[in-house]
Amino acid sequence: MRGVLLVFSVASLRAPPSGDGWFSVDKAQHFFSSAFVQSLGYGVLRRTGLSHGTALGGASITTAAVGVGKEIYDSRTGGDASIRDLAWDAAGAGAMTLLLTHTAR
C-alpha cells in the first residue's frame, strides 16, 4: 500500500524547474537534512529498545515519509517540487544508513 502511495505521490510532481540542477546548495540541504532525520529517527527508536535492524527500518520509513511529504507540500503550495530533491534525500538517508550499519551497537 505504501508503495502505491509513493508512486502516486511522485507522479503528482511536476517537471523540474529550469534552474533545478543536480548540484546546488538546495541539494546539499536535502542530503544533510535526510541524513539528520535518519540518524535522529534511528537514535530515538534504539532508545526505546528496538533492535538495530528494526530501528534502521523505522528510521528509513520516517526519512522517506519526511522527504516525500516535503515534495508533496512543495507541489501543492507553489514551491519547486523535484524528483532530484528526492534523489538527494535518498542519498543522504543511504549514506547515514551505511554509517549506522558500520558503527558499534
Side-chain angles (χ1 to χ4, degrees), residues 41-75:
Y42 175 81
V44 167
L45 292 172
R46 283 292 284 166
R47 186 74 176 151
T48 65
L50 293 176
S51 69
H52 168 72
T54 304
L56 201 53
S60 296
I61 290 169
T62 301
T63 304
V66 168
V68 170
K70 170 68 167 79
E71 295 309 306
I72 291 171
Y73 174 81
D74 284 349
S75 71

Side-chain angles (χ1 to χ4, degrees), residues 2-92:
R2 283 181 257 165
V4 173
L5 178 62
L6 178 63
V7 168
F8 283 114
S9 298
V10 171
S12 71
L13 298 177
R14 55 188 155 91
S18 59
D20 186 38
W22 279 104
F23 301 99
S24 67
V25 172
D26 177 57
K27 301 310 183 242
Q29 290 170 341
H30 277 272
F31 180 90
F32 288 109
S33 294
S34 290
F36 174 75
V37 170
Q38 183 79 2
S39 178
L40 180 66
Y42 175 81
V44 167
L45 292 172
R46 283 292 284 166
R47 186 74 176 151
T48 65
L50 293 176
S51 69
H52 168 72
T54 304
L56 201 53
S60 296
I61 290 169
T62 301
T63 304
V66 168
V68 170
K70 170 68 167 79
E71 295 309 306
I72 291 171
Y73 174 81
D74 284 349
S75 71
R76 292 185 178 168
T77 60
D80 293 332
S82 168
I83 297 275
R84 293 175 183 180
D85 288 349
L86 288 175
W88 280 100
D89 289 338

Side-chain angles (χ1 to χ4, degrees), residues 87-103:
W88 280 100
D89 289 338
M96 185 52 68
T97 297
L98 187 63
L99 184 66
L100 291 168
T101 300
H102 289 89
T103 56

